[in-house]
């Protein structure tokens, strides 16, 4: 539900669309799917079920008992009836032609009279179409006189006497009576009695002063207003001199004044006892006035609502000062005020019909009383230092803006508790004068806040768990590479794996043989238990470079442990007794006599069996010390039988 402020009077848009034409069905479905996560869309208010038409709506009215809403629209031409206690559509009924306007004859929807565009007047009941009458000429408006049970239809064209007509249909007798003859000028070039030309003179609108003197008023295309007494069936007064055609009329509930609207957008209020207007007001849009309604607010202030196809204005009846306005994005056809409430309903172009709620005009109707609490909550959702276009400032803040000299000298500062209320516009101007670069500073501040917000949404790998912190860090790094923002996504947020991060029994021991077999690229320091993979090795190296050097005792201990480190050596399974043969490379070993080298002949059919035997460096050093310097125990004086002098080397 959106709110717009026109002055000090907020207007809440309860129902309606932002576009004149609805979206295609397939695009609307896609948009609805995309709005599932939109909080504003999920918290929207649907005032009435199916409060819309397929193309556009023409007229809407509320019954006197405030329990039914009847509306007409197109396309196809149809009638909708909503039952308000259930907030739902009661039924829909199609007609053969477009509806111009209609009236509810009973206190509910059970009897209604409809003026159609094909010169017919249809009488509808809950069972359907009860009776249809055809008019001699096209009708422009429709009113109902409850005292004489007559339906009055102002029409276009001239009768046989050269006058405009207002047809009278007596619903009690079921027949036409003599029409009211209204002076509307003449139609050049067209014989009397015919339908008339395109610009034929006509009686455009009519109004009746119900519950008072019951006078009739007819507005014509020549700018005149005629008043008739339905008792004597005679004209009693004529008010002329209006600029343009008269398109809207409405009597004050007291019956002493009447509001008139013309095709040029000019509105005037007349006292029936004087030809001079009490108030003259220009609507400002230049379009014909469609509706005029006298209203009374909850504080018993008298207002007048006027509307053209672009805007709805509510203004004071006494002096014409503007009170509030509603400007939908679609063209308006008709506006209905739910009496004694703050609700406005509009029939307009576009698929949905609009609903507006003005709390200062009156409370919400009883069938949507929840709107009162909703609007109160929305009105309270304001910051603590900004109240209804006022900024709260303390005395030091006033001094910083050089506004302390206004204290006690003007009503621009309104004292309240430990500070003052200042008009928001005045505050913005004073702040700009005090600091001309305030705009750039505010912009830099907003950019900084946005950057900090983006940084806070990134994964920083700082999720703390009770068990297996290294595994959690590795998973966070993988999620960061995949641009996953939620750090609780995947295994980290799955409740099935919650014990992996909480129960010490599920702790992963990286020093076990099983872990080393499953993760051969991960090396763990047996003393510290730290990960010594390539990445960890470089990070440890960089950390050691940046930190201070270790003491010499710790370095000596590490070198001593390195000497005792177990070294893996390769040995062949078919080695001989000579200890030197095991250090010879496999490809360079001498072949025994009478044995063919299958590797060289290309007849290798199997594999050579190789085992790995650990050997301690300390043991090797002891064996080397125990061996004699030479293996030929000959004295230097004994002569060698071999002529190879290098044999003894």
């Amino acid at each position: 539900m959106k709110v717009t402020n026109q002055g000090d009077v907020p207007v809440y848009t309860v129902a309606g669309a932002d576009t004149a034409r609805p979206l295609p069905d397939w695009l609307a479905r896609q948009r609805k799917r995309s709005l599932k996560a939109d909080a504003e869309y999920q918290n929207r208010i649907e005032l009435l079920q199916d409060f819309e038409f397929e193309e556009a709506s023409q007229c809407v009215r509320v019954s006197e008992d405030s329990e039914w809403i009847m509306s007409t629209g197109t396309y196809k031409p149809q009638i909708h009836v909503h039952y308000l206690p259930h907030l739902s559509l009661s039924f829909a009924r199609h007609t053969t032609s477009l509806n111009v306007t209609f009236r509810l004859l009973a206190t509910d929807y059970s009897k209604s009279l409809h003026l159609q565009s094909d010169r017919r007047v249809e009488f509808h009941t809950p069972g359907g179409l009860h009776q249809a009458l055809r008019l001699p000429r096209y009708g422009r408006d429709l009113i109902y006189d409850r005292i004489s049970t007559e339906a009055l239809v102002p029409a276009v064209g001239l009768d046989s006497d050269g006058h405009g007509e207002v047809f009278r249909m007596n619903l009690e007798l079921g027949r036409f009576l003599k029409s009211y003859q209204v002076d509307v000028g003449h139609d050049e070039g067209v014989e009397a009695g015919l339908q008339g030309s395109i610009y034929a003179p006509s009686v455009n609108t009519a109004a009746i002063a119900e519950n008072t003197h019951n006078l009739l008023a007819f507005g014509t295309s020549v700018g005149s207003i005629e008043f008739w007494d339905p008792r004597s069936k005679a004209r009693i007064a004529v008010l002329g001199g209006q600029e343009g055609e008269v398109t809207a009329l409405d009597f004050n509930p007291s019956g002493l004044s009447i509001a008139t609207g013309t095709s040029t957008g000019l509105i005037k209020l007349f006292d029936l006892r004087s030809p001079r207007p009490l108030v003259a007001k220009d609507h400002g849009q230049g379009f014909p006035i469609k509706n005029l309604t006298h209203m009374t607010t909850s504080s018993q202030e008298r207002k007048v609502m006027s509307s053209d196809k672009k805007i709805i204005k509510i203004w004071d009846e006494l002096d014409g000062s503007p009170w509030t306005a509603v400007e939908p994005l679609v063209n308006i056809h008709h506006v209905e005020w739910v009496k004694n409430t703050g609700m406005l309903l509009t029939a307009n172009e576009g698929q949905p019909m609009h609903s507006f709620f003005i709390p200062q005009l009156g409370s919400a109707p009883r069938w949507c009383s929840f709107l009162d609490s909703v609007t109160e909550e929305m009105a309270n959702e304001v910051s603590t230092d900004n109240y209804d276009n006022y900024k709260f400032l303390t005395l030091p803040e006033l001094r910083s803006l050089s506004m302390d000299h206004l204290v006690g000298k003007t009503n621009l500062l309104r004292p309240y508790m430990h500070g003052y209320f200042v008009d928001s516009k005045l505050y913005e101007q004073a702040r700009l004068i005090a600091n001309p670069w305030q705009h750039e500073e505010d912009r830099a501040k907003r950019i900084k806040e946005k950057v900090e917000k983006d940084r806070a949404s990134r994964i920083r790998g700082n999720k703390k768990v009770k068990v297996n912190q290294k595994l959690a860090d590795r998973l966070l790094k993988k999620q960061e590479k995949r641009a996953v923002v939620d750090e609780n996504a995947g295994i980290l947020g799955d409740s099935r794996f919650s014990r992996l991060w909480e129960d010490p029994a599920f702790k992963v021991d990286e020093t076990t043989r099983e872990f080393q077999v499953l993760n051969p690229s991960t090396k763990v320091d047996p003393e510290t238990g730290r990960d010594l993979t390539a990445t960890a090795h470089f990070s440890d190296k960089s950390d050691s470079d940046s930190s201070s050097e270790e003491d010499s005792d710790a370095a000596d201990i590490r070198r001593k442990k390195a000497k005792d480190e177990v070294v893996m050596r390769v040995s062949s399974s078919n080695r001989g007794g000579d200890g030197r043969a095991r250090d010879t490379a496999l490809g360079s070993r001498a072949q025994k006599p009478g044995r063919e080298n299958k590797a060289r002949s290309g007849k290798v059919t199997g594999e050579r069996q190789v085992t790995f035997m650990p050997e301690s460096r300390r043991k090797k050093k002891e064996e080397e010390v125990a061996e004699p310097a030479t293996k030929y125990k000959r004295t230097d004086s004994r002569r060698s039988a071999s002529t190879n002098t290098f044999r003894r080397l």
Side-chain angles (χ1 to χ4, degrees):
M1 189 166 65
K2 297 181 180 180
V3 58
T4 57
N5 289 322
Q6 298 289 341
D8 296 332
V9 182
V11 179
Y12 296 87
T13 304
V14 182
D18 295 334
T19 56
R21 297 290 180 179
L23 296 174
D25 292 339
W26 58 272
L27 187 57
R29 288 193 295 270
Q30 289 183 357
R31 187 174 182 182
K32 288 181 180 179
R33 287 195 296 267
S34 64
L35 293 175
K36 287 183 178 179
D38 190 352
E40 183 178 354
Y41 178 79
Q42 295 297 331
N43 296 330
R44 73 190 188 280
I45 295 176
E46 188 175 359
L47 185 63
L48 292 173
Q49 176 193 4
D50 298 328
F51 195 55
E52 59 185 17
F53 286 89
E54 297 178 1
E55 185 68 22
S57 51
Q58 186 65 31
C59 185
V60 57
R61 298 192 187 276
V62 182
S63 62
E64 291 184 7
D65 57 7
S66 300
E67 290 191 352
W68 301 89
I69 291 180
M70 179 176 286
S71 55
T72 59
T74 186
Y75 180 79
K76 302 177 180 178
Q78 51 190 307
I79 301 172
H80 286 180
V81 175
H82 287 79
Y83 185 49
L84 297 180
H86 292 173
L87 300 178
S88 61
L89 179 65
S90 179
F91 66 87
R93 181 181 300 161
H94 288 78
T95 58
T96 57
S97 60
L98 298 178
N99 182 269
V100 177
T101 186
F102 70 93
R103 294 284 177 175
L104 295 175
L105 307 183
T107 57
D108 56 4
Y109 80 99
S110 58
K111 298 177 182 179
S112 59
L113 196 63
H114 298 259
L115 175 63
Q116 303 296 106
S117 60
D118 59 350
R119 292 192 300 154
R120 291 199 308 169
V121 177
E122 297 181 351
F123 184 77
H124 284 260
T125 62
L129 175 62
H130 178 72
Q131 186 67 35
L133 300 175
R134 192 170 181 85
L135 299 173
R137 284 185 294 276
Y138 292 99
R140 290 292 180 88
D141 198 3
L142 174 66
I143 60 172
Y144 179 64
D145 184 1
R146 299 180 184 274
I147 296 178
S148 60
T149 65
E150 291 182 359
L152 305 178
V153 183
V156 63
L158 304 175
D159 61 1
S160 58
D161 297 332
H163 298 90
E165 282 188 296
V166 178
F167 297 111
R168 297 169 53 204
M169 293 180 295
N170 191 293
L171 302 183
E172 185 178 5
L173 300 178
R175 62 187 180 90
F176 284 98
L177 301 179
K178 183 179 179 181
S179 302
Y180 292 114
Q181 292 182 336
V182 182
D183 187 7
V184 294
H186 60 281
D187 190 6
E188 297 180 356
V190 178
E191 297 181 2
L194 299 180
Q195 291 293 333
S197 62
I198 297 177
Y199 302 102
S202 63
V203 183
N204 292 330
T205 183
I208 183 171
E210 293 182 331
N211 304 322
T212 54
H213 45 68
N214 209 47
L215 284 181
L216 301 175
F218 303 119
T220 66
S221 60
V222 295
S224 62
I225 302 172
E226 294 191 3
F227 296 91
W228 288 70
D229 188 351
R231 295 170 296 181
S232 61
K233 306 297 186 297
R235 183 189 299 111
I236 59 175
V238 177
L239 181 63
Q242 303 298 315
E243 299 177 2
E245 302 181 9
V246 179
T247 56
L249 294 171
D250 187 68
F251 278 99
N252 187 285
S254 63
L256 297 179
S257 64
I258 186 173
T260 66
T262 64
S263 58
T264 59
L266 187 62
I267 303 170
K268 294 181 180 180
L269 293 180
F270 289 93
D271 191 302
L272 296 183
R273 297 162 292 187
S274 174
R276 295 183 179 180
L278 300 175
V279 176
K281 183 177 180 63
D282 189 359
H283 213 249
Q285 301 289 331
F287 299 111
I289 303 299
K290 290 183 175 290
N291 296 102
L292 287 172
T293 305
H294 286 79
M295 313 169 75
T296 303
T297 65
S298 57
S299 57
Q300 301 303 318
E301 297 179 1
R302 293 186 297 175
K303 306 292 182 184
V304 177
M305 180 190 69
S306 58
S307 67
D308 54 23
K309 69 176 184 179
K310 290 295 184 181
I311 192 171
I312 304 170
K313 291 186 177 182
I314 302 178
W315 39 279
D316 191 88
E317 183 181 0
L318 298 177
D319 56 3
S321 59
W323 190 60
T324 188
V326 183
E327 189 171 3
L329 297 180
V330 294
N331 291 343
I332 303 170
H333 293 161
H334 182 262
V335 182
E336 176 75 359
W337 174 49
V338 183
K339 292 184 179 181
N340 302 322
T341 68
M343 180 69 68
L344 299 178
L345 305 176
T346 65
N348 45 260
E349 288 290 333
Q351 184 177 7
M353 301 174 67
H354 287 59
S355 302
F356 303 98
F357 179 56
I358 306 174
Q360 295 188 20
L361 180 61
S363 60
R366 64 174 182 267
W367 48 272
C368 58
S369 58
F370 59 88
L371 290 179
D372 289 328
S373 58
V374 172
T375 53
E376 288 179 1
E377 293 177 0
M378 295 182 65
N380 293 331
E381 290 178 358
V382 295
S383 59
T384 57
D385 58 349
N386 196 345
Y387 301 89
D388 297 333
N389 300 325
Y390 284 92
K391 181 77 174 179
F392 181 78
L393 299 176
T394 60
L395 186 57
E397 292 175 342
L398 286 175
R399 291 173 180 171
S400 64
L401 297 176
S402 300
M403 296 176 61
D404 53 339
H405 65 282
L406 299 176
V407 176
K409 298 181 180 180
T410 177
N411 57 0
L412 296 176
L413 302 182
R414 301 182 181 183
Y416 181 77
M417 296 181 68
H418 63 286
Y420 300 87
F421 278 113
V422 184
D423 188 85
S424 297
K425 295 181 179 179
L426 178 60
Y427 167 73
E428 294 295 338
Q429 293 177 359
R431 190 176 65 161
L432 184 60
I433 294 174
N435 187 3
W437 293 274
Q438 184 68 37
H439 177 71
E440 287 75 7
E441 293 178 359
D442 293 343
R443 182 174 179 273
K445 183 179 179 181
R446 289 194 299 268
I447 294 174
K448 183 179 179 181
E449 291 177 354
K450 185 176 180 180
V451 171
E452 292 296 334
K453 184 178 179 180
D454 294 341
R455 288 179 179 176
S457 63
R458 298 175 185 171
I459 299 176
R460 301 180 182 272
N462 55 356
K463 182 177 180 63
K464 301 300 181 182
V465 294
K466 296 180 180 179
V467 186
N468 298 324
Q469 182 65 45
K470 294 181 182 180
L471 179 59
D473 294 341
R474 285 198 294 267
L475 293 176
L476 286 174
K477 289 181 180 179
K478 291 182 180 179
Q479 292 181 8
E480 187 174 3
K481 292 180 181 179
R482 296 195 302 266
V484 179
V485 177
D486 189 6
E487 65 178 9
N488 292 322
I491 299 178
L492 293 173
D494 197 335
S495 59
R496 297 174 297 176
F497 299 93
S498 59
R499 298 177 64 186
L500 182 62
W501 318 111
E502 298 177 358
D503 193 349
F506 289 87
K507 182 178 180 181
V508 178
D509 189 1
E510 299 183 358
T511 60
T512 59
R513 177 67 177 172
E514 290 79 2
F515 181 84
Q516 294 177 0
V517 172
L518 295 176
N519 301 275
S521 61
T522 303
K523 296 181 181 180
V524 181
D525 190 348
E527 296 295 331
T528 61
R530 298 183 62 185
D531 189 1
L532 293 180
T533 55
T535 305
H537 174 69
F538 287 121
S539 62
D540 293 343
K541 183 178 180 181
S542 61
D543 294 341
S544 63
D545 293 341
S546 61
S547 63
S548 62
E549 296 182 355
E550 299 178 353
D551 55 341
S552 59
D553 295 339
D556 294 338
I557 292 173
R558 285 200 304 271
R559 284 195 295 270
K560 185 176 180 181
K561 290 183 178 180
K563 291 181 180 180
D564 298 338
E565 184 180 0
V566 178
V567 179
M568 309 299 293
R569 293 191 177 277
V570 181
S571 63
S572 177
S573 61
N574 57 354
R575 61 180 180 176
D578 191 3
R580 292 174 294 179
R582 61 183 180 184
D583 296 334
T584 308
L586 296 177
S588 61
R589 291 185 181 179
Q591 297 292 330
K592 293 184 179 180
R595 187 174 180 180
E596 183 180 5
N597 191 342
K598 296 182 179 182
R600 294 182 179 179
S601 60
K603 298 179 180 180
V604 178
T605 57
E607 295 181 354
R608 186 173 296 177
Q609 186 176 358
V610 180
T611 59
F612 296 85
M613 299 178 61
E615 184 180 17
S616 175
R617 292 184 177 180
R618 181 180 298 177
K619 184 177 179 181
K620 179 182 177 182
K621 186 175 182 180
E622 291 176 357
E623 290 178 356
E624 291 177 354
V625 173
E627 285 183 11
T630 58
K631 294 186 179 182
Y632 298 96
K633 297 180 180 180
R634 298 188 180 95
T635 61
D636 295 338
S637 59
R638 186 176 178 179
R639 182 180 178 183
S640 176
S642 175
T643 60
N644 189 355
T645 59
F646 294 96
R647 186 181 184 89
R648 299 168 59 183
L649 296 179

